[in-house]
Protein backbone atom coordinates (compact mmCIF):
# COMPACT_ATOMS: atom_id res chain seq x y z
CA UNK A 1 0.00 0.00 0.00
CA UNK A 2 1.51 3.32 -1.08
CA UNK A 3 1.52 6.21 1.34
CA UNK A 4 -0.34 8.86 -0.62
CA UNK A 5 -0.05 11.45 2.18
CA UNK A 6 3.73 11.36 1.99
CA UNK A 7 3.62 11.38 -1.84
CA UNK A 8 1.55 14.57 -1.66
CA UNK A 9 3.94 16.13 0.82
CA UNK A 10 6.86 15.36 -1.50
CA UNK A 11 4.93 16.79 -4.45
CA UNK A 12 4.47 20.07 -2.57
CA UNK A 13 8.06 20.19 -1.31
CA UNK A 14 9.77 19.31 -4.60
CA UNK A 15 7.42 20.70 -7.29
CA UNK A 16 5.45 23.60 -5.83
CA UNK A 17 7.49 25.41 -3.16
CA UNK A 18 10.77 25.50 -5.16
CA UNK A 19 8.86 27.06 -8.09
CA UNK A 20 7.45 29.84 -5.94
CA UNK A 21 4.00 28.68 -4.77
CA UNK A 22 3.58 30.59 -1.49
CA UNK A 23 -0.09 30.96 -0.50
CA UNK A 24 -0.46 28.72 2.60
CA UNK A 25 -4.13 28.07 1.77
CA UNK A 26 -3.19 26.79 -1.70
CA UNK A 27 -0.39 24.65 -0.24
CA UNK A 28 -2.79 23.14 2.31
CA UNK A 29 -5.35 22.34 -0.40
CA UNK A 30 -2.66 20.65 -2.52
CA UNK A 31 -1.58 18.66 0.56
CA UNK A 32 -5.15 17.61 1.26
CA UNK A 33 -6.89 16.70 -2.03
CA UNK A 34 -6.23 13.02 -2.93
CA UNK A 35 -5.14 13.56 -6.55
CA UNK A 36 -4.72 9.80 -7.19
CA UNK A 37 -8.49 9.25 -6.85
CA UNK A 38 -9.03 11.46 -9.93
CA UNK A 39 -7.09 9.07 -12.21
CA UNK A 40 -7.59 5.37 -12.93
CA UNK A 41 -6.11 2.97 -10.39
CA UNK A 42 -3.41 1.74 -12.79
CA UNK A 43 -1.96 5.29 -12.69
CA UNK A 44 -2.09 5.86 -8.90
CA UNK A 45 1.67 5.39 -8.57
CA UNK A 46 2.21 8.24 -11.08
CA UNK A 47 -0.50 10.54 -9.74
CA UNK A 48 1.90 12.77 -7.77
CA UNK A 49 4.53 13.00 -10.53
CA UNK A 50 5.56 16.32 -12.08
CA UNK A 51 3.41 15.95 -15.19
CA UNK A 52 -0.06 15.74 -16.68
CA UNK A 53 -1.74 12.31 -16.97
CA UNK A 54 -4.35 10.86 -19.32
CA UNK A 55 -7.93 10.70 -18.00
CA UNK A 56 -9.59 9.09 -21.04
CA UNK A 57 -11.47 10.60 -24.01
CA UNK A 58 -8.15 12.09 -25.21
CA UNK A 59 -8.06 14.53 -22.25
CA UNK A 60 -5.62 15.08 -19.38
CA UNK A 61 -5.44 16.06 -15.71
CA UNK A 62 -3.03 19.03 -15.52
CA UNK A 63 0.43 18.91 -13.91
CA UNK A 64 0.21 19.66 -10.14
CA UNK A 65 2.26 22.87 -10.53
CA UNK A 66 -0.13 24.18 -13.21
CA UNK A 67 -3.11 23.55 -10.90
CA UNK A 68 -1.30 25.30 -8.05
CA UNK A 69 -0.19 28.40 -9.95
CA UNK A 70 -3.59 28.93 -11.59
CA UNK A 71 -5.28 28.55 -8.21
CA UNK A 72 -2.82 30.89 -6.49
CA UNK A 73 -3.30 33.59 -9.16
CA UNK A 74 -7.05 33.63 -8.43
CA UNK A 75 -6.17 34.95 -4.92
CA UNK A 76 -9.15 33.28 -3.25
CA UNK A 77 -9.97 34.25 0.33
CA UNK A 78 -12.90 31.91 1.03
CA UNK A 79 -16.22 33.59 0.21
CA UNK A 80 -15.95 33.56 -3.60
CA UNK A 81 -17.97 31.85 -6.30
CA UNK A 82 -15.71 30.46 -9.04
CA UNK A 83 -16.47 29.14 -12.53
CA UNK A 84 -14.23 26.50 -14.10
CA UNK A 85 -14.40 25.59 -17.79
CA UNK A 86 -13.02 22.08 -18.41
CA UNK A 87 -13.92 19.86 -15.45
CA UNK A 88 -11.91 16.93 -16.82
CA UNK A 89 -11.15 14.67 -13.85
CA UNK A 90 -12.64 17.10 -11.30
CA UNK A 91 -9.28 17.55 -9.50
CA UNK A 92 -8.91 21.29 -10.12
CA UNK A 93 -12.54 21.76 -9.03
CA UNK A 94 -11.81 19.92 -5.76
CA UNK A 95 -8.77 22.12 -5.07
CA UNK A 96 -10.89 25.23 -5.71
CA UNK A 97 -13.68 23.83 -3.52
CA UNK A 98 -11.24 23.79 -0.59
CA UNK A 99 -10.60 27.52 -1.05
CA UNK A 100 -13.88 29.24 -1.91
CA UNK A 101 -17.60 29.03 -1.16
CA UNK A 102 -18.89 27.58 -4.42
CA UNK A 103 -17.44 26.09 -7.61
CA UNK A 104 -19.46 25.81 -10.82
CA UNK A 105 -17.65 23.64 -13.35
CA UNK A 106 -18.53 22.81 -16.96
CA UNK A 107 -17.31 19.88 -19.07
CA UNK A 108 -18.25 19.21 -22.70
CA UNK A 109 -17.70 15.43 -22.59
CA UNK A 110 -20.55 13.73 -20.73
CA UNK A 111 -18.57 10.66 -19.58
CA UNK A 112 -15.91 12.87 -17.93
CA UNK A 113 -18.47 15.13 -16.24
CA UNK A 114 -20.23 12.08 -14.80
CA UNK A 115 -17.05 10.50 -13.51
CA UNK A 116 -15.88 13.77 -11.96
CA UNK A 117 -19.28 14.15 -10.23
CA UNK A 118 -18.92 10.66 -8.71
CA UNK A 119 -15.43 11.32 -7.31
CA UNK A 120 -16.46 14.74 -5.98
CA UNK A 121 -19.52 13.17 -4.29
CA UNK A 122 -17.39 10.38 -2.83
CA UNK A 123 -15.06 13.00 -1.32
CA UNK A 124 -17.99 15.10 -0.03
CA UNK A 125 -17.54 18.21 -2.19
CA UNK A 126 -21.15 19.36 -2.01
CA UNK A 127 -20.13 22.94 -2.93
CA UNK A 128 -19.28 21.92 -6.51
CA UNK A 129 -21.92 22.03 -9.27
CA UNK A 130 -21.03 20.12 -12.47
CA UNK A 131 -22.76 20.64 -15.80
CA UNK A 132 -22.15 19.10 -19.25
CA UNK A 133 -22.28 21.68 -22.04
CA UNK A 134 -20.13 23.97 -24.17
CA UNK A 135 -18.59 26.02 -21.37
CA UNK A 136 -17.49 28.87 -23.62
CA UNK A 137 -20.97 30.33 -23.12
CA UNK A 138 -20.36 30.41 -19.36
CA UNK A 139 -23.13 29.71 -16.82
CA UNK A 140 -25.58 32.58 -17.00
CA UNK A 141 -27.88 31.50 -14.14
CA UNK A 142 -24.97 31.43 -11.69
CA UNK A 143 -23.18 34.59 -12.92
CA UNK A 144 -21.49 36.84 -11.97
CA UNK A 145 -18.36 35.06 -10.73
CA UNK A 146 -15.54 36.35 -8.52
CA UNK A 147 -13.12 34.13 -10.39
CA UNK A 148 -13.08 32.15 -13.65
CA UNK A 149 -10.53 29.51 -14.59
CA UNK A 150 -10.34 28.03 -18.08
CA UNK A 151 -8.37 24.77 -17.97
CA UNK A 152 -8.20 24.28 -21.74
CA UNK A 153 -6.30 26.18 -24.46
CA UNK A 154 -8.20 29.08 -25.97
CA UNK A 155 -7.47 31.19 -29.07
CA UNK A 156 -8.69 34.26 -27.19
CA UNK A 157 -10.60 35.41 -24.10
CA UNK A 158 -14.12 33.96 -24.58
CA UNK A 159 -16.35 37.05 -24.52
CA UNK A 160 -19.28 35.53 -22.53
CA UNK A 161 -16.83 34.55 -19.78
CA UNK A 162 -15.45 38.08 -19.42
CA UNK A 163 -19.04 39.37 -19.31
CA UNK A 164 -19.84 36.93 -16.48
CA UNK A 165 -16.82 38.02 -14.42
CA UNK A 166 -17.57 40.40 -11.53
CA UNK A 167 -15.95 43.82 -11.51
CA UNK A 168 -12.77 43.30 -9.49
CA UNK A 169 -12.80 39.62 -10.49
CA UNK A 170 -9.89 37.58 -11.83
CA UNK A 171 -9.87 35.11 -14.70
CA UNK A 172 -7.15 32.71 -15.89
CA UNK A 173 -7.01 31.50 -19.48
CA UNK A 174 -4.25 29.70 -21.41
CA UNK A 175 -4.19 31.75 -24.64
CA UNK A 176 -2.46 30.66 -27.82
CA UNK A 177 -2.76 28.07 -30.58
CA UNK A 178 -3.65 24.41 -30.16
CA UNK A 179 -0.07 23.44 -29.29
CA UNK A 180 1.39 26.17 -27.07
CA UNK A 181 -0.17 28.84 -24.90
CA UNK A 182 0.62 31.59 -22.42
CA UNK A 183 -1.21 31.43 -19.12
CA UNK A 184 -2.96 34.80 -19.03
CA UNK A 185 -4.41 36.59 -16.01
CA UNK A 186 -7.38 38.79 -16.93
CA UNK A 187 -8.61 41.33 -14.38
CA UNK A 188 -11.92 43.16 -14.72
CA UNK A 189 -11.47 46.59 -13.17
CA UNK A 190 -14.34 48.51 -11.54
CA UNK A 191 -16.14 50.05 -14.51
CA UNK A 192 -15.46 46.96 -16.62
CA UNK A 193 -12.01 47.80 -18.04
CA UNK A 194 -9.92 44.74 -18.95
CA UNK A 195 -6.31 44.32 -17.83
CA UNK A 196 -4.27 41.31 -18.97
CA UNK A 197 -0.98 40.00 -17.60
CA UNK A 198 1.05 37.19 -19.15
CA UNK A 199 2.29 34.44 -16.85
CA UNK A 200 4.10 31.21 -17.77
CA UNK A 201 4.06 29.18 -20.98
CA UNK A 202 1.81 26.12 -20.93
CA UNK A 203 0.31 23.31 -23.01
CA UNK A 204 -3.38 22.47 -22.56
CA UNK A 205 -5.83 20.41 -24.62
CA UNK A 206 -8.02 22.68 -26.77
CA UNK A 207 -11.13 24.49 -25.59
CA UNK A 208 -13.66 23.39 -28.20
CA UNK A 209 -16.80 25.39 -28.71
CA UNK A 210 -18.54 28.49 -29.92
CA UNK A 211 -15.96 30.86 -28.41
CA UNK A 212 -13.00 28.45 -28.51
CA UNK A 213 -11.43 26.35 -31.26
CA UNK A 214 -13.69 24.77 -33.86
CA UNK A 215 -14.21 21.02 -33.50
CA UNK A 216 -12.51 19.02 -36.30
CA UNK A 217 -11.28 15.50 -37.14
CA UNK A 218 -8.58 15.62 -34.42
CA UNK A 219 -11.08 16.05 -31.61
CA UNK A 220 -13.11 13.74 -29.45
CA UNK A 221 -16.87 14.11 -29.66
N1 LIG B 1 -9.32 20.80 -14.98
C1 LIG B 1 -9.19 19.42 -15.38
C2 LIG B 1 -8.31 19.22 -16.58
C3 LIG B 1 -8.95 19.73 -17.79
S1 LIG B 1 -8.48 19.05 -19.34
C4 LIG B 1 -8.73 18.54 -14.25
O1 LIG B 1 -8.47 19.05 -13.14
O2 LIG B 1 -8.64 17.33 -14.45
C5 LIG B 1 -9.54 20.11 -20.29
C6 LIG B 1 -10.97 19.68 -20.29
O3 LIG B 1 -11.70 20.71 -20.95
C7 LIG B 1 -11.23 18.40 -21.07
O4 LIG B 1 -11.87 17.47 -20.24
C8 LIG B 1 -12.13 18.86 -22.21
O5 LIG B 1 -13.11 17.90 -22.58
C9 LIG B 1 -12.77 20.09 -21.63
N2 LIG B 1 -13.32 21.07 -22.60
C10 LIG B 1 -12.82 21.42 -23.81
N3 LIG B 1 -13.62 22.33 -24.39
C11 LIG B 1 -14.64 22.58 -23.52
C12 LIG B 1 -15.79 23.43 -23.53
N4 LIG B 1 -16.08 24.23 -24.57
N5 LIG B 1 -16.60 23.42 -22.46
C13 LIG B 1 -16.36 22.61 -21.40
N6 LIG B 1 -15.29 21.78 -21.33
C14 LIG B 1 -14.44 21.76 -22.37
Amino acid sequence: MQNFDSMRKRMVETQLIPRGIKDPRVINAMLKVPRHLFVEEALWNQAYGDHALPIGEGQTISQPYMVAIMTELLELKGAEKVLEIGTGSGYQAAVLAELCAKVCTIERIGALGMRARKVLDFLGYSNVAVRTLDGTYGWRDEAPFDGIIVTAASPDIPRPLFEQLKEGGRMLVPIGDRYLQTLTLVIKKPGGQMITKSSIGCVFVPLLGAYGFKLDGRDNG
Side-chain angles (χ1 to χ4, degrees):
M1 179 63 195
Q2 290 131 316
N3 184 339
F4 294 112
D5 289 349
S6 64
M7 285 163 86
R8 269 198 296 287
K9 193 158 175 279
R10 254 195 98 219
M11 170 187 86
V12 167
E13 284 169 357
T14 62
Q15 301 169 34
L16 308 189
I17 292 172
R19 292 187 180 123
I21 300 298
K22 284 191 188 68
D23 184 338
R25 296 181 74 241
V26 174
I27 289 172
N28 283 335
M30 298 297 292
L31 283 171
K32 181 173 171 193
V33 179
R35 178 172 164 93
H36 62 285
L37 295 182
F38 293 86
V39 298
E40 61 179 289
E41 197 167 346
L43 297 177
W44 281 8
N45 61 344
Q46 298 177 54
Y48 297 96
D50 193 11
H51 45 72
L53 281 172
I55 55 171
E57 311 288 333
Q59 310 303 321
T60 53
I61 177 175
S62 307
Q63 177 196 25
Y65 172 61
M66 193 55 64
V67 173
I69 189 170
M70 290 179 87
T71 306
E72 186 168 77
L73 287 168
L74 282 175
E75 297 187 352
L76 299 172
K77 302 288 182 278
E80 298 87 351
K81 189 199 260 193
V82 174
L83 174 67
E84 179 193 25
I85 312 302
T87 313
S89 68
Y91 175 67
Q92 171 77 72
V95 171
L96 293 170
E98 291 286 340
L99 298 168
C100 69
K102 182 163 187 194
V103 180
C104 297
T105 180
I106 312 180
E107 170 56 52
R108 61 175 280 277
I109 299 177
L112 292 179
M114 266 160 55
R115 201 173 59 206
R117 175 76 274 166
K118 273 194 198 144
V119 182
L120 292 165
D121 282 344
F122 173 74
L123 293 170
Y125 288 110
S126 54
N127 60 338
V128 181
V130 185
R131 147 191 270 204
T132 311
L133 270 180
D134 173 5
T136 65
Y137 290 106
W139 193 325
R140 246 168 242 293
D141 297 347
E142 292 281 356
F145 298 95
D146 302 285
I148 300 181
I149 179 169
V150 181
T151 61
S154 182
D156 214 330
I157 299 162
R159 189 169 42 81
L161 301 185
F162 186 70
E163 283 166 10
Q164 292 175 33
L165 188 63
K166 255 186 212 168
E167 290 186 6
R170 298 163 78 83
M171 167 155 82
L172 283 151
V173 200
I175 297 181
D177 59 28
R178 276 178 175 250
Y179 306 103
L180 188 64
Q181 307 90 38
T182 303
L183 180 60
T184 308
L185 170 65
V186 179
I187 298 173
K188 191 171 190 172
K189 286 292 206 193
Q193 188 204 346
M194 180 193 291
I195 293 187
T196 62
K197 292 182 186 168
S198 293
S199 177
I200 56 174
C202 51
V203 179
F204 278 83
V205 296
L207 179 75
L208 299 169
Y211 295 89
F213 290 102
K214 299 294 164 257
L215 192 68
D216 68 25
R218 290 170 284 191
D219 301 311
N220 199 310

